[in-house]
Amino acid sequence: MLTALSVVREKELGSIINLYVTPVTRSEFLLGKQMPYIVLALLNFGLMTLLAVTAFGVPVKGSFLTLAAAALLFVIFSTGFGLLVSTFTHSQIAAMFLAIIGTMIPTFSSPAY
């Protein structure tokens, strides 16, 4: 949701027009918007894993490298979804609404077995 809000905020304020005259490509702009959130999410993952192991005594069974790679993939796709939402919306409220709905509906629409 934060990645969606960051791009839409620039659209609302009109500061995104300044980027059109810079030599930054679209992919560089999107990576620049996505990277801080990826770094923060991986830092959060590391601290929560450390807290689970040290404070609560929950062992990490299996490969920690596989777990970290899966967390990295999850963070890349979730922040990418926020960037996708920001391309379709023009206001922060619409971006927040679409991001919340887009992440909540798949959790509720699974079939009951």
Side-chain angles (χ1 to χ4, degrees), residues 61-104:
K61 300 232 177 184
S63 171
F64 180 75
L65 187 61
T66 305
L67 179 65
L72 176 65
L73 279 175
F74 174 76
V75 168
I76 288 172
F77 284 117
S78 61
T79 55
F81 178 72
L83 290 174
L84 179 69
V85 164
S86 71
T87 61
F88 294 115
T89 57
H90 296 287
S91 70
Q92 291 183 32
I93 293 179
M96 227 178 359
F97 181 73
L98 192 60
I100 290 171
I101 294 299
T103 55
M104 293 298 281

Side-chain angles (χ1 to χ4, degrees), residues 101-112:
I101 294 299
T103 55
M104 293 298 281
I105 285 181
T107 62
F108 293 132
S109 63
S110 62

Side-chain angles (χ1 to χ4, degrees), residues 10-113:
E10 287 188 8
K11 283 183 187 178
E12 282 185 344
L13 296 175
S15 62
I16 200 163
I17 294 173
N18 294 336
L19 290 169
Y20 294 146
V21 296
T22 62
V24 175
T25 64
R26 290 181 182 162
S27 58
E28 289 172 346
F29 172 72
L30 291 176
L31 280 175
K33 285 292 181 186
Q34 193 175 15
M35 281 310 252
Y37 295 108
I38 290 174
V39 170
L40 285 175
L42 289 179
L43 179 68
N44 190 17
F45 164 74
L47 289 174
M48 289 183 66
T49 305
L50 182 69
L51 180 70
V53 170
T54 58
F56 299 116
V58 178
V60 176
K61 300 232 177 184
S63 171
F64 180 75
L65 187 61
T66 305
L67 179 65
L72 176 65
L73 279 175
F74 174 76
V75 168
I76 288 172
F77 284 117
S78 61
T79 55
F81 178 72
L83 290 174
L84 179 69
V85 164
S86 71
T87 61
F88 294 115
T89 57
H90 296 287
S91 70
Q92 291 183 32
I93 293 179
M96 227 178 359
F97 181 73
L98 192 60
I100 290 171
I101 294 299
T103 55
M104 293 298 281
I105 285 181
T107 62
F108 293 132
S109 63
S110 62
Y113 292 106

